Amino acid sequence: ISTFLRLSPLVRNKKMLLSPTLLFIALSRSGGAFISSSTPRPREECSENPYYLPSSPPPSLSTRTNPILLCKSPSPKTLRSVVIGDVIDQTTLLPRPDILPAGTPLDSFFTTRTKNNDVNGSNAAISSSATLSVLSWNILLPNSRDNWWCHKMYSPWVPTSARTWKHRQSLIRDRLLRSAADIICIQEADGDTFNADFAFMKDAGYDHVLHKKFRFRCATFYKTDKYVLEKVGQKDRVLVTALRSIQDDNDTNDADDDHERDNNSRIIHVLNCHLSGGAAPERRLRQVHEALEQTRKWKNAAENSLNRQRKAKRPSPKNVAAAEETFRQYYEAGVIVCGDFNSDGNTGVRRLLVEGAVDPGWREELQYPGVQLTSKRREQPHAFVDAAELAYASNVCDGDYGEDHGAHGCRPATYVVPNLASLLLSPVDEDADSPFRTEFGNQFAKGLAATLSLKAFCDTEIEHAFDSVDLDGNGSIDEDEVKQLLGSVYVSLYGPKIEEEKREFFSEFNNPSANGLRRDQFGGKLLSLQKKLDEEESGSRIVGGLQLAKGVTDALGLGSYCEKELESAFQAVDLDGNGSIDEDEIKALLQRVYLATYGKRIEKEKNRFLGRFRDVSTCSIHEGLTLEQFRERLLALQQELEGGSEGYELVEIRTEADAQRMIGRFSPILRNALDYVFDKYCTSKDGGCLSQDDAERFLIRVNGQLGRGGSWRHASAILERKREASMSVVLTRQDWYEVFARELGEGKWWQVVHDLEVCGADLRSKVKRDTLHYQGWLDYIYFDSERLSCRGVQEALNAKDISRLYDHGDALPNEWHPSDHLPVAAVFSWR
């Protein structure tokens, strides 16, 4: 009772409806200060209560459970978070959705439940406008000019006819139309052939929006008898649509009043995502956040439109009412975020959606612990829930989804492909010394490369850079020389900013003397900087320039800003002593300021630059960096510049050093296969290299023609590099290895295997057909739990297909499934 009395003002202020049932559940599930139940009731005894959640997972679940969804005893703080805000936080009270069988129409769920009087425990029929079904699927790019390589992804026993677009298109058509989903989001559509590829969708009563950019495009289909398109946002690899539901005629006729009829029309925002792959967690986070920002801007635009109508000189009641209705629809809009996220586990994207915010200090510890995802806090206001996580009670953060594939209680993988990594690469030896990686930020890496005129990072450039840094010419680089180099980098790095601030320094003076600023003008500028510092100390808000103000005052030794200090400062800056300060003298001052401002950072970068080569006992460099040590640091710098990441496991091959480390991990099976094909195409007498003609014969064999494919791209880059260096334009055996190391670094395991096998190498016969596949949980449907209730999540495979996939090794894609991804689908009702 006391808890309710404390909450009741909040309830009244927020105009919340807190039912006795939900209040009892909230109180009974809390800790010792509230009503408690020592022994939770079994789930089967509580089937009549859709909001009951056990304090421990059912015995049938072999997986770990989400502590948010199946919490044991919320603390008072947690309890308060349940009921604070405009609506009750459903993450602790949401009912488990049903698991729907594969292959059934999604709308049949509501039809069946209505007949059985089992929707929300109510015997009332649910209208079509109050429900929606969503299917999302990465269909794998249609066979076209861009996806000529699709056939390489199939296992060797799959017939050629089953790899064609005609066959794949028929499978995609059957799957999409059989689902009868209200909204269908596909990824990897081909913009050039889209209309022909999906003409069947128009015939089935769907309209669509296709992303205008990118090679692999997103497309969102919607039933024209249920939705009309309101708005479209074309974001980075995310297609954002606002769909307005069409009122159900039956509901309109039965409505008791106009307000109820208006509520039949709703807005649903659909974010169809195909996020960036590879080592780009920060980009994936930005992509989703920017897409959510688009929905916020649409709501704000509706609010601004309403305000304009209300504040018009002669407000039109009709226009105001229409603007109010539009604003209501956008304010109460639901949000679905779905698609191929190209990542799984505890990612920044998941944290943004589920937790609501990602701070600059947060990291994806398991995969990218050294990557800063954002420089500022990113937030979004919705209470998103992962539909499959809710349905299967499986914790997506740790990847422990169980081994009973497709069984109830085990979250099915959405990406199932042959496990070729263990065939091609040896395990990483984590006891070995980790290859040293640069810790420089990308911006600083660019500045250092520009200062040393490094473009190709070839031997000539590196030797020239070494000579330019070795100021005393003694053949080694000491700490002072490194520090001087880094100081030059910061001046170069902030050059444009220095120029901008130099112009700003002069911009306030309409009539500076021909030779520059006079003594009184310069003193006035310094006093304005003092004002900025004083405003900061008093807590007043100032507009920028604080760091510059502090730097200038420190560099000029200003404390009291008296006449004597101002005169001394003027003389210190007036280098030529002509009684005025010109732009060059201001620029020299600002360079000093930046070096002083970033002095600690320069010292830190210097220590990082030298850190690997320090003597632990003395913490100093005995003889400085040699040319080879300097070369290693610059190659590490190149890796940072081109996108490499820290850690033992290489995610991408960016530098030649990365490629060599990958080559070192080649398994004996892969190395033997590479040698076999190399020897097969080699025509040189000593068998030590492939001529350009030899390489082209191989490329035509595996790619059908020259000018396409990763193997052609990597081989051409090596040959061009040798041509520019006036070397023999041939591929040595080590170069040959590098081509395939780079292919593996791009994740094209299947392409490496196909190209070698089509040339006669023996690889997959070494692997049993029933070997465990590689599984990924890459595809998701997140929903706004404040506006939508998830009623069911559909399984992607039936029992027969599960057996073919896991028991018989028929990995994706295959003769009966046209993509390497499985579709994800769910049904929802409006709250």
Side-chain angles (χ1 to χ4, degrees):
I1 294 174
S2 61
T3 301
F4 177 75
L5 292 176
R6 289 201 302 272
L7 291 175
S8 58
L10 174 66
V11 174
R12 290 196 301 270
N13 293 338
K14 292 294 184 179
K15 299 180 180 180
M16 286 172 23
L17 178 62
L18 189 63
S19 70
T21 301
L22 293 181
L23 177 62
F24 175 78
I25 293 169
L27 295 177
S28 64
R29 290 183 55 75
S30 62
F34 306 103
I35 305 170
S36 63
S37 176
S38 58
T39 305
R41 293 184 295 164
R43 186 179 181 89
E44 57 271 15
E45 295 180 11
C46 303
S47 57
E48 75 281 3
N49 182 1
Y51 291 100
Y52 174 80
L53 287 178
S55 60
S56 59
S60 60
L61 291 182
S62 60
T63 60
R64 298 173 190 169
T65 54
N66 188 332
I68 296 176
L69 301 176
L70 299 177
C71 56
K72 291 184 178 181
S73 280
S75 65
K77 181 178 180 181
T78 303
L79 176 63
R80 184 173 183 272
S81 70
V82 170
V83 293
I84 196 166
D86 291 333
V87 294
I88 295 175
D89 182 359
Q90 299 294 339
T91 55
T92 57
L93 301 174
L94 290 177
R96 285 272 293 275
D98 286 353
I99 307 297
L100 312 181
T104 57
L106 293 172
D107 57 3
S108 66
F109 169 77
F110 290 108
T111 304
T112 304
R113 287 306 179 90
T114 301
K115 290 179 179 179
N116 295 337
N117 298 326
D118 193 30
V119 179
N120 281 335
S122 170
N123 58 8
I126 231 175
S127 68
S128 63
S129 61
T131 67
L132 67 147
S133 53
V134 179
L135 181 144
S136 176
W137 190 12
N138 182 329
I139 61 167
L140 183 61
L141 193 67
N143 306 50
S144 61
R145 177 176 55 85
D146 273 343
N147 194 17
W148 59 270
W149 39 261
C150 180
H151 64 281
K152 296 185 179 185
M153 301 185 70
Y154 286 78
S155 298
W157 54 82
V158 177
T160 303
S161 59
R163 311 182 191 198
T164 64
W165 174 239
K166 182 179 180 180
H167 180 77
R168 293 183 58 223
Q169 184 188 39
S170 67
L171 294 175
I172 292 171
R173 179 182 62 246
D174 293 346
R175 186 59 174 263
L176 295 183
L177 298 185
R178 189 167 65 248
S179 75
D182 298 325
I183 300 170
I184 295 177
C185 298
I186 65 170
Q187 299 86 46
E188 293 201 18
D190 189 324
D192 294 334
T193 62
F194 179 82
N195 290 332
D197 293 339
F198 293 96
F200 62 86
M201 293 295 287
K202 182 177 182 181
D203 297 337
Y206 289 89
D207 202 347
H208 72 272
V209 181
L210 176 67
H211 206 299
K212 295 180 179 179
K213 300 179 181 179
F214 308 109
R215 177 186 176 196
F216 297 173
R217 301 192 190 183
C218 295
T220 299
F221 295 91
Y222 55 94
K223 286 183 176 179
T224 55
D225 63 350
K226 192 165 181 179
Y227 294 100
V228 293
L229 180 65
E230 286 279 307
K231 295 181 183 294
V232 178
Q234 311 271 352
K235 312 307 285 187
D236 182 11
R237 296 181 68 108
V238 182
L239 178 62
V240 188
T241 53
L243 301 174
R244 180 170 55 82
S245 63
I246 299 175
Q247 292 183 2
D248 189 312
D249 291 338
N250 294 328
D251 289 340
T252 303
N253 295 332
D254 296 338
D256 293 335
D257 53 44
D258 292 338
H259 179 70
E260 187 174 342
R261 284 196 296 271
D262 290 340
N263 280 340
N264 288 330
S265 184
R266 301 175 184 268
I267 296 290
I268 181 71
H269 296 303
V270 181
L271 280 61
N272 183 355
C273 308
H274 187 198
L275 306 183
S276 298
E282 72 286 359
R283 186 179 178 188
R284 287 190 284 272
L285 174 63
R286 175 176 54 78
Q287 287 166 340
V288 174
H289 182 262
E290 288 181 353
L292 289 169
E293 281 292 286
Q294 180 64 75
T295 65
R296 180 187 62 81
K297 292 175 182 177
W298 286 340
K299 185 184 77 171
N300 290 347
E303 183 178 10
N304 293 336
S305 177
L306 172 59
N307 291 333
R308 284 194 299 269
Q309 292 295 335
R310 287 174 171 171
K311 295 178 181 178
K313 291 183 178 180
R314 299 179 62 183
S316 165
K318 182 178 179 181
N319 292 343
V320 170
E324 286 176 343
E325 172 60 15
T326 299
F327 174 65
R328 180 198 65 78
Q329 291 177 4
Y330 277 92
Y331 182 78
E332 296 178 354
V335 187
I336 296 284
V337 183
C338 63
D340 177 3
F341 286 21
N342 264 314
S343 58
D344 64 2
N346 194 18
T347 65
V349 169
R350 183 186 189 280
R351 187 173 180 85
L352 175 69
L353 295 175
V354 175
E355 302 294 334
V358 177
D359 291 310
W362 193 84
R363 298 289 188 271
E364 294 186 10
E365 293 294 344
L366 293 180
Q367 289 183 294
Y368 308 107
V371 178
Q372 183 178 17
L373 303 184
T374 178
S375 60
K376 61 182 180 181
R377 180 179 173 87
R378 293 189 182 270
E379 299 177 309
Q380 60 83 20
H382 306 285
F384 285 108
V385 173
D386 176 1
E389 183 174 346
L390 183 63
Y392 293 99
S394 298
N395 190 348
V396 73
C397 290
D398 58 20
D400 183 9
Y401 305 103
E403 300 299 331
D404 189 8
H405 308 289
H408 184 76
C410 170
R411 179 173 183 160
T414 66
Y415 179 77
V416 187
V417 295
N419 186 3
L420 300 176
S422 59
L423 174 69
L424 303 179
L425 296 178
S426 300
V428 176
D429 182 7
E430 297 195 6
D431 294 329
D433 290 336
S434 171
F436 186 74
R437 303 300 185 88
T438 177
E439 297 179 8
F440 295 132
N442 187 263
Q443 187 181 24
F444 185 80
K446 291 180 179 178
L448 185 52
T451 301
L452 296 176
S453 301
L454 295 169
K455 296 181 179 179
F457 287 80
C458 61
D459 290 344
T460 302
E461 286 184 350
I462 291 176
E463 289 173 5
H464 179 75
F466 183 85
D467 292 338
S468 66
V469 178
D470 183 19
L471 300 178
D472 56 14
N474 67 346
S476 65
I477 297 174
D478 58 31
E479 294 192 40
D480 290 337
E481 290 169 332
V482 169
K483 188 172 183 179
Q484 190 165 339
L485 164 65
L486 300 181
S488 301
V489 169
Y490 270 88
V491 170
S492 171
L493 185 63
Y494 291 95
K497 196 169 183 179
I498 291 173
E499 286 293 328
E500 179 184 347
E501 289 175 341
K502 181 190 71 177
R503 289 193 298 270
E504 183 182 347
F505 203 99
F506 282 88
S507 65
E508 299 176 11
F509 306 100
N510 295 325
N511 298 306
S513 67
N515 295 326
L517 297 181
R518 301 186 305 272
R519 160 70 177 77
D520 59 321
Q521 292 174 322
F522 182 70
K525 184 65 177 179
L526 295 183
L527 291 175
S528 70
L529 295 179
Q530 180 195 26
K531 184 178 179 181
K532 285 188 176 183
L533 292 175
D534 291 342
E535 288 174 342
E536 169 65 15
E537 290 177 359
S538 65
S540 301
R541 186 184 177 196
I542 61 174
V543 183
L546 178 62
Q547 193 174 38
L548 175 65
K550 289 181 177 179
V552 170
T553 55
D554 290 344
L556 297 178
L558 296 173
S560 62
Y561 290 82
C562 62
E563 282 297 319
K564 184 176 181 181
E565 282 187 352
L566 293 176
E567 179 65 31
S568 176
F570 182 82
Q571 294 177 1
V573 178
D574 183 18
L575 300 177
D576 55 13
N578 67 348
S580 65
I581 296 176
D582 57 29
E583 294 193 20
D584 290 338
E585 289 169 331
I586 289 294
K587 185 175 180 179
L589 168 63
L590 293 176
Q591 289 180 354
R592 288 168 53 198
V593 168
Y594 272 84
L595 289 178
T597 302
Y598 295 102
K600 291 183 178 179
R601 190 181 298 180
I602 291 173
E603 187 69 23
K604 186 177 181 180
E605 299 288 4
K606 181 199 74 175
N607 292 334
R608 285 178 172 176
F609 200 98
L610 300 171
R612 178 172 170 79
F613 309 102
R614 288 187 180 277
D615 182 278
V616 178
S617 61
T618 62
C619 293
S620 64
I621 306 290
H622 291 301
E623 298 178 354
L625 294 181
T626 65
L627 174 59
E628 288 306 312
Q629 291 172 327
F630 186 69
R631 185 195 311 277
E632 181 177 344
R633 297 305 291 117
L634 294 188
L635 290 177
L637 179 77
Q638 182 190 23
Q639 180 167 328
E640 175 66 37
L641 187 63
E642 296 183 353
S645 60
E646 297 181 45
Y648 290 101
E649 187 72 49
L650 292 177
V651 179
E652 293 182 287
I653 304 298
R654 293 294 191 176
T655 68
E656 196 170 336
D658 282 344
Q660 296 309 312
R661 283 190 284 269
M662 180 67 87
I663 292 170
R665 292 184 55 202
F666 282 1
S667 69
I669 293 175
L670 173 58
R671 195 175 291 269
N672 291 338
L674 288 171
D675 289 340
Y676 171 82
V677 177
F678 183 92
D679 294 338
K680 180 177 180 177
Y681 283 89
C682 179
T683 60
S684 65
K685 293 182 179 179
D686 61 359
C689 62
L690 295 177
S691 67
Q692 187 164 349
D693 289 341
D694 295 339
E696 289 179 353
R697 284 193 299 115
F698 164 77
L699 294 170
I700 292 174
R701 176 69 183 91
V702 299
N703 296 333
Q705 65 185 56
L706 297 178
R708 66 185 190 183
S711 53
W712 172 82
R713 187 173 67 252
H714 299 314
S716 298
I718 294 173
L719 294 174
E720 183 61 27
R721 192 167 66 224
K722 291 191 172 186
R723 186 177 291 108
E724 290 179 353
S726 300
M727 300 171 62
S728 297
V729 186
V730 297
L731 292 179
T732 65
R733 197 173 295 265
Q734 197 68 13
D735 296 332
W736 174 254
Y737 292 160
E738 182 181 336
V739 169
F740 290 90
R742 292 183 179 276
E743 286 282 271
L744 294 177
E746 293 176 354
K748 298 177 181 177
W749 315 89
W750 43 270
Q751 186 155 293
V752 169
V753 171
H754 172 275
D755 290 354
L756 295 177
E757 286 184 338
V758 81
C759 294
D762 183 14
L763 281 169
R764 269 183 280 207
S765 67
K766 309 293 184 182
V767 181
K768 295 182 180 180
R769 197 170 174 182
D770 59 354
T771 299
L772 289 176
H773 302 311
Y774 171 80
Q775 299 185 92
W777 286 259
L778 308 182
D779 304 85
Y780 298 87
I781 297 179
Y782 283 89
F783 66 97
D784 180 0
S785 62
E786 293 180 345
R787 304 298 182 193
L788 299 169
S789 177
C790 183
R791 298 303 183 186
V793 171
Q794 188 174 51
E795 292 184 321
L797 300 174
N798 56 36
K800 177 182 177 182
D801 292 339
I802 291 173
S803 177
R804 287 197 285 185
L805 183 63
Y806 290 105
D807 297 336
H808 303 289
D810 208 2
L812 307 180
N814 52 44
E815 188 173 1
W816 49 269
H817 191 80
S819 173
D820 49 348
H821 288 253
L822 293 168
V824 291
V827 292
F828 304 92
S829 63
W830 287 92
R831 287 191 175 279

